[in-house]
Amino acid sequence: MKLITGLHHVTAITGDTQENIDFYTGVLGLRLVKTTVNFDYSDVYHFYFGDEFGTPGTIMTTFPYGKGLVNGRHGKGMLNTTAFSISMDALDYWMNRLNQFNIPFKQPQQRLSGEVFIYLEDFDGLGLELVFNDKDERTGYNNHFIPKDFAIKGIHHVEIWLNAYERTAALLTTQMDHQLIAESSDRFRYAVEDAPGKYVDLVCTPNALKGLAGRGTVHHVAFATPDAQTQLEMMEKLNTFGLEHTEVKDRKYFTSVYFKEPGGVLFEIATSGPGFDVDEELASLGEHLNLPQQFEEKREHLVEVLPKFNYPTEKYR
Ligand code: ZN
């Protein structure tokens, strides 16, 4: 049995709260599946965006620290692009949609076995792609304003820039159940199986500057493991590989272990369950502030310091 089943989520450092909600639920049409706080710094929101259920492999999460936060810099030792998967038929629709809302993007390009992609950035400069392909069996979130066959189906891949890819590749292939499935020039694609939502692209960029954390950069990427037992087995494998990791942390919707991969990117191993409906109904996910038990006594303070925002946002519908 595989200990890693694919990507779980990507977590980014972002700026303004309303812009963050607008971009991911409005422009991109994802579902806000959880409104909570950063469990390690509770005065900041933690938003989870994904498909209807917040299925692992569809989830983008953000810590919106506010507009005053200093900008980060894309570069080496960083996950610079999170790519979302969309049906091939939807390319024209999405270019029109981005134009309609004045979201700049690069013209379509092709890579590897013919996947077509456009690069864009969110309002904070976070690197994103829309990858148009016919390989994705997943159903996107039906938000009732983007035609449901054109919706984002989930994450397609993540792109990590490295000085050299070999040590990260060794971690993925010897300890984390990945295989090299495609490559072209300086790009090496690894996956636990050949399906969108499971791809990790390592790109060699020896001439790039080092990435700097800040607004518009990724904080970490999480890989999915089935349960607490496989998570424990994964920790033993990290020990064998000589990688230091945290203890298991309770994130309420899953449990997590964190470690730095050899190229400098923070990786997380997150359990697939229990999921986002443990503290609210599926029909109203994300609509109210949900706090873990340890922060309930601070609720009044948090409601006061956390910025108010409108959801759903009408502007991008
Ligand atoms: Zn995480």
Side-chain angles (χ1 to χ4, degrees):
M1 195 181 72
K2 288 193 161 89
L3 297 183
I4 300 293
T5 55
L7 296 168
H8 191 290
H9 64 268
V10 173
T11 294
I13 302 166
T14 57
D16 183 69
T17 299
Q18 186 67 54
E19 283 188 357
N20 206 216
I21 292 288
D22 285 352
F23 192 87
Y24 289 94
T25 68
V27 176
L28 296 187
L30 299 176
R31 185 178 193 195
L32 175 64
V33 292
K34 193 61 63 184
T35 300
T36 184
V37 293
N38 183 338
F39 287 12
D40 297 320
Y41 182 65
S42 62
D43 282 9
V44 168
Y45 281 118
H46 192 179
F47 293 133
Y48 291 78
F49 306 99
D51 70 359
E52 182 179 0
F53 311 97
T55 308
T58 72
I59 312 162
M60 184 81 196
T61 101
T62 59
F63 299 136
Y65 277 88
K67 268 195 164 149
L69 185 69
V70 66
N71 288 339
R73 179 176 76 193
H74 300 175
K76 280 191 296 202
M78 190 172 261
L79 194 164
N80 291 306
T81 308
T82 304
F84 293 104
S85 180
I86 303 180
S87 165
M88 190 65 102
D89 304 336
L91 175 61
D92 288 341
Y93 171 84
W94 276 93
M95 290 202 294
N96 288 334
R97 182 171 176 80
L98 296 175
N99 279 327
Q100 184 190 347
F101 298 125
N102 296 315
I103 311 290
F105 61 91
K106 291 189 186 170
Q107 287 306 304
Q109 301 174 67
Q110 275 199 19
R111 73 156 80 86
L112 299 176
S113 49
E115 72 189 29
V116 175
F117 66 96
I118 55 183
Y119 178 87
L120 69 156
E121 293 180 349
D122 75 2
F123 295 133
D124 297 302
L126 190 76
L128 302 173
E129 274 177 9
L130 305 181
V131 177
F132 299 90
N133 68 94
D134 288 327
K135 283 178 76 167
D136 201 331
E137 308 281 319
R138 297 174 294 178
T139 313
Y141 173 51
N142 184 7
N143 52 36
H144 302 289
F145 57 91
I146 291 173
K148 71 178 193 311
D149 293 341
F150 291 175
I152 287 176
K153 293 165 184 264
I155 294 175
H156 183 271
H157 70 270
V158 294
E159 177 179 311
I160 292 171
W161 291 12
L162 296 165
N163 197 39
Y165 77 104
E166 289 85 354
R167 287 186 305 157
T168 305
L171 168 68
L172 288 172
T173 56
T174 67
Q175 312 301 319
M176 295 177 66
D177 297 317
H178 285 64
Q179 286 183 320
L180 179 67
I181 60 156
E183 62 175 285
S184 84
S185 64
D186 52 4
R187 178 179 300 266
F188 300 85
R189 174 166 292 176
Y190 293 85
V192 291
E193 67 182 278
D194 189 355
K198 299 174 190 288
Y199 302 135
V200 180
D201 286 9
L202 305 184
V203 180
C204 296
T205 58
N207 299 320
L209 294 171
K210 205 168 177 297
L212 295 175
R215 182 176 160 195
T217 61
V218 164
H219 186 266
H220 64 266
V221 55
F223 293 84
T225 194
D227 53 37
Q229 180 56 37
T230 54
Q231 188 173 51
L232 217 57
E233 288 173 41
M234 194 57 235
M235 290 165 81
E236 283 163 20
K237 293 191 108 182
L238 294 175
N239 293 339
T240 313
F241 200 73
L243 278 181
E244 277 183 41
H245 54 77
T246 65
E247 76 278 25
V248 176
K249 294 184 190 261
D250 183 3
R251 296 318 194 190
K252 194 168 184 184
Y253 313 108
F254 44 85
T255 62
S256 300
V257 172
Y258 302 84
F259 61 98
K260 273 239 166 103
E261 59 84 22
V265 178
L266 187 60
F267 278 10
E268 172 184 346
I269 306 297
T271 53
S272 292
F276 294 99
D277 59 355
V278 289
D279 56 1
E280 57 189 343
E281 293 297 318
L282 184 61
S284 57
L285 288 184
E287 291 175 17
H288 305 283
L289 178 63
N290 272 283
L291 298 173
Q293 204 49 50
Q294 68 267 32
F295 296 137
E296 271 302 344
E297 59 184 30
K298 288 176 70 179
R299 178 176 280 271
E300 213 170 305
H301 161 79
L302 292 173
V303 167
E304 199 165 307
V305 298
L306 292 167
K308 305 281 174 284
F309 65 91
N310 296 316
Y311 175 76
T313 177
E314 298 299 329
K315 194 171 154 192
Y316 295 99
R317 293 186 166 224

